[in-house]
Amino acid sequence: MSHPLFSPFDAGDLHLSNRIVMAPLTRNRADNDTGEVNDLHVEYYRQRAGAGLIITEATQISPEGKGYISTPGIHTEAQAEAWKKVTDAVHAEGGKIVVQLWHVGRISHTSLQPNGQKPVAPSAIAADVKTFTANGFEDTSEPRALALEELPRLIDDYRHAAHLAMKAGFDGVEIHGANGYLLDQFLKTGSNKRDDAFGGAVENRARLLLDVVEAVSHAIGGGKTGLRLSPFSPANGIDDANPMETFGYVIPKLNRFNLAYLHMVEGATGGSRELAEGESVAKLRQLFDGAYMANNGYDRDLAMETVDSGAADLVAFGRPFISNPDLVKRLETGAALNEGDRDTFYGGGAKGFTDYPTLDAA
């Protein structure tokens, strides 16, 4: 009898063959000028179609949303057409795939922005971290604060990207509300010092995120819409004075959208799962009525235990999917995993992208 981790599961409108999710993984191999994916991406995602669900690498919703060199977009018809080759390949293998909708906010550099403009943010506060440009890793540029009248346009950028995602054949979208990017910047007190309807009290700081979720879920259906949050992660220089209060407010508000799932980074992104006193993933998870996707430092044993206990419905794996295209098969059989080549994680060609061996090939 197969373990529940390897059994089918319905997350909203997404009918998944198993509960193992390929987490979004930035790989910096798209065309830097057009934001279009290429044949390498088609093969990369096709190889990993054994995942119950693939979440693509973070994909910007507008030229302004770009924060790293050679990341893909989903804001032009040509980008959607390029992604269609990926979705067709994944579907031909029986897989499901959603695109992660991304606006980096202040985690950018003027060299990556249209006309060399300043990146945008809730407030004009630099992140004091680095981003990846044509010159390698550089300090992020000082942002400008978004004007109140710009926010409807921003929400419409998410809506437009979601419509293009459907044209591109995606099974849904995941809104990136985590890891210190724009929506997280509005949510958290360390980066949001506004004194208007989008700043101050948690009800105001959460407004943009909830407006975006509403716009996207109304555009394509809540059952095709997921959301990623990282309540306790300091990624990209972000912090919040009281994350339990902030996310204790946000998460129950999501229930009215009937989302496909809530995807949560448990602890520090790509780091420790340890939390400060009073912080609790379990308490926040209980506030959400739909499918819950756990992420951060999961291995085979922890994933099986977590699904067994009902603490999560789905488990996302990140780096193991880079080096193991057949990760689901390896987890199911208890086979050894390939080691990843960190030198090829960000940027390059086929090496370290599409050339990792499967069990069958080995």
Side-chain angles (χ1 to χ4, degrees), residues 105 132 165 229 341:
F132 193 42
L229 298 175
D341 174 14

Side-chain angles (χ1 to χ4, degrees), residues 57-71:
E57 59 210 278
T59 301
Q60 54 257 10
I61 60 165
S62 65
E64 171 197 89
K66 182 176 179 177
Y68 303 82
I69 194 171
S70 302
T71 52

Side-chain angles (χ1 to χ4, degrees), residues 141-258:
S141 300
E142 182 184 334
R144 68 170 180 84
L146 281 157
L148 198 59
E149 58 269 21
E150 292 181 275
L151 298 182
R153 181 266 301 169
L154 189 71
I155 294 163
D156 199 54
D157 286 343
Y158 279 95
R159 185 187 292 109
H160 175 64
H163 280 303
L164 282 178
M166 295 297 99
K167 289 184 74 171
F170 283 104
D171 297 293
V173 306
E174 176 177 288
I175 299 164
H176 197 344
N179 295 352
Y181 297 116
L182 185 71
L183 298 177
D184 204 25
Q185 291 161 27
F186 268 86
L187 265 182
K188 291 181 177 170
T189 58
S191 47
N192 186 342
K193 305 297 183 186
R194 301 174 74 94
D195 58 6
D196 59 15
F198 289 82
V202 64
E203 295 83 356
N204 292 346
R205 287 182 282 113
R207 193 182 306 270
L208 183 62
L209 173 75
L210 295 173
D211 284 354
V212 167
V213 173
E214 182 171 40
V216 170
S217 61
H218 282 186
I220 66 169
K224 292 183 173 69
T225 305
L227 173 66
R228 191 185 207 196
L229 298 175
S230 57
F232 310 111
S233 180
N236 287 312
I238 204 84
D239 67 278
D240 187 76
N242 190 339
M244 289 300 290
E245 178 188 59
T246 297
F247 289 86
Y249 172 81
V250 170
I251 293 174
K253 295 286 184 186
L254 301 173
N255 290 323
R256 66 187 169 97
F257 302 116
N258 295 312

